[in-house]
Amino acid sequence: MKIRNEYQIALFKNAVVQCSGYVALVDAKTGREYDLKDNSVLTEALARLVLDYDEALELFVTRREDVGIMIELMDCLSREEKDILSKKAS
């Protein structure tokens, strides 16, 4: 998952707020876990996510209904990424 601009950060934060269960980013390399429901940790996690060039961060949720929220987020980010790339190509 790539986060590239403030709009995408806002989408990500909104999706986290909508989730009713535990939401975390986990660094696959170090095992560091970022609890996204903790605002101070969320800020650090978002900075890390923006700089995650090798895509080592994995998203985890604990409630089944939260999976749908995050899939919707990823779909929205993917559509926006395609729009950005098509604008660059033209």
Side-chain angles (χ1 to χ4, degrees):
M1 169 175 35
K2 294 278 188 183
I3 300 287
R4 297 184 185 266
N5 57 46
E6 288 190 37
Y7 175 70
Q8 291 176 340
I9 290 172
L11 288 175
F12 187 84
K13 284 182 173 180
N14 186 46
V16 169
V17 168
Q18 288 179 45
C19 291
S20 58
Y22 180 73
V23 183
L25 283 174
V26 177
D27 189 319
K29 292 180 179 178
T30 66
R32 170 95 193 266
E33 189 170 320
Y34 299 90
D35 176 0
L36 299 179
K37 291 291 188 163
D38 180 331
N39 282 330
S40 62
V41 175
L42 175 62
T43 302
E44 180 183 352
L46 284 170
R48 176 73 175 83
L49 185 59
V50 168
L51 298 173
D52 187 28
Y53 300 112
D54 56 356
E55 297 189 43
L57 294 175
E58 299 176 1
L59 182 64
F60 288 94
V61 296
T62 57
R63 299 185 59 107
R64 186 176 302 239
E65 57 269 18
D66 295 342
V67 172
I69 293 168
M70 289 302 172
I71 288 174
E72 208 173 295
L73 167 68
M74 289 183 205
D75 184 49
C76 183
L77 293 174
S78 176
R79 283 193 312 269
E80 185 170 317
E81 183 69 18
K82 287 177 185 174
D83 289 346
I84 290 170
L85 292 174
S86 68
K87 288 177 184 175
K88 286 183 178 178
S90 50

